[in-house]
Amino acid sequence: DTAVSQTPKYLVTQMGNDKSIKCEQNLGHDTMYWYKQDSKKFLKIMFSYNNKELIINETVPNRFSPKSPDKAHLNLHINSLELGDSAVYFCASSQDRGSSYEQYFGPGTRLTVT
Amino acid sequence: AQSVAQPEDQVNVAEGNPLTVKCTYSVSGNPYLFWYVQYPNRGLQFLLKYITGDNLVKGSYGFEAEFNKSQTSFHLKKPSALVSDSALYFCAVTFGGQLTFGSGTQLTVLP
């Protein structure tokens, strides 16, 4: 059973397009996250939701819009894609929003914008 | 603001030898420290964490880490390295529920 799953695994698209990445966790966790990993493997948090409520919104272009239909799902929609959006995007979840909880990561979605 | 530093981009060690991957942190208040491992084309996997208590923390796959408050360090260690330990290792610190990662250290275990 996959704990945190993401679709698609690979996404190749052209500049200016709109795309979505879906994430689901079956761990019963209350908190979910989106991270971006750049070409140098640097990881940075983008968003965090707790029980469908946005709790962390880092300095991310407003072309990125997360949506959490329920606490098991956190999707990421990206409008007007740019070359610099090319990266690997990871979804993660944790039991709760507290600092002591470890996070469980999905396999990642490699986004390539041409 | 909290931060972690991993001073080594790359660590090479021979199979069977002990390994150490270094991490130092900067955080106001008590730190919550984590180690994660990333295998090629995979997501991150949780290895171990320090919250409070014993300074030596044991984790998955025979890894352990030592919390040193005076040196603000949280180095990852393993007594005997395996080729299969070759991966990218991230140290991380949380504060206010937000996880901040170090830049990562690529560990290569040579047969």
Side-chain angles (χ1 to χ4, degrees), chain A residues 14-19 63 77-83 85 113:
Chain A
Q14 292 184 326
M15 286 174 53
N17 284 350
D18 303 338
K19 291 293 178 185
R63 298 181 295 104
H77 188 76
I78 315 170
N79 289 327
S80 303
L81 279 154
E82 300 178 357
L83 291 177
D85 298 332
V113 182

Side-chain angles (χ1 to χ4, degrees), chain B residues 27 31 59 66:
Chain B
V27 63
E66 186 168 9

Side-chain angles (χ1 to χ4, degrees), chain A residues 9 33 35 37 41 43 45 56 58 90 97 99-103 105-107 110, chain B residues 32 34 36 38 41-44 46 49 51 88 90 94-99 101:
Chain A
K9 190 170 175 61
Y33 311 81
Y35 288 88
Q37 187 174 44
K41 304 296 186 182
L43 273 160
I45 190 164
I56 295 174
E58 288 298 290
F90 287 101
R97 59 186 293 181
S99 294
S100 64
Y101 295 105
E102 62 271 22
Q103 295 182 19
F105 285 77
R110 184 176 294 275
Chain B
Y32 296 131
F34 299 78
Y36 288 83
Q38 185 178 23
N41 300 313
R42 303 280 296 276
L44 279 73
F46 167 73
K49 65 181 177 182
I51 303 301
L88 184 59
F90 290 96
T94 59
F95 188 78
Q98 184 166 332
L99 192 63
F101 286 93

Side-chain angles (χ1 to χ4, degrees), chain A residues 5-17:
Chain A
S5 59
Q6 295 178 230
T7 54
K9 190 170 175 61
Y10 299 97
L11 187 51
V12 180
T13 188
Q14 292 184 326
M15 286 174 53
N17 284 350

Side-chain angles (χ1 to χ4, degrees), chain A residues 65-78:
Chain A
S65 54
K67 284 188 171 54
S68 182
D70 55 62
K71 74 173 192 177
H73 296 84
L74 180 61
N75 303 323
L76 184 65
H77 188 76
I78 315 170

Side-chain angles (χ1 to χ4, degrees), chain B residues 2-4 6 12 14 16 22 25 33 36 39 41 43 52 61 64 70 72 77 86 88 95-96 98 104:
Chain B
Q2 72 273 18
S3 65
V4 289
Q6 295 181 242
N12 295 330
K22 296 179 180 177
Y25 66 90
L33 296 159
Y36 288 83
Y39 296 100
N41 300 313
T52 187
Y61 312 121
E64 58 190 27
S70 63
T72 62
K77 300 183 180 187
S86 299
L88 184 59
F95 188 78
Q98 184 166 332

Side-chain angles (χ1 to χ4, degrees), chain B residues 12-18 81-82 108-111:
Chain B
N12 295 330
V13 64
E15 188 175 27
N17 283 1
L82 300 173
T108 301
V109 181
L110 305 167

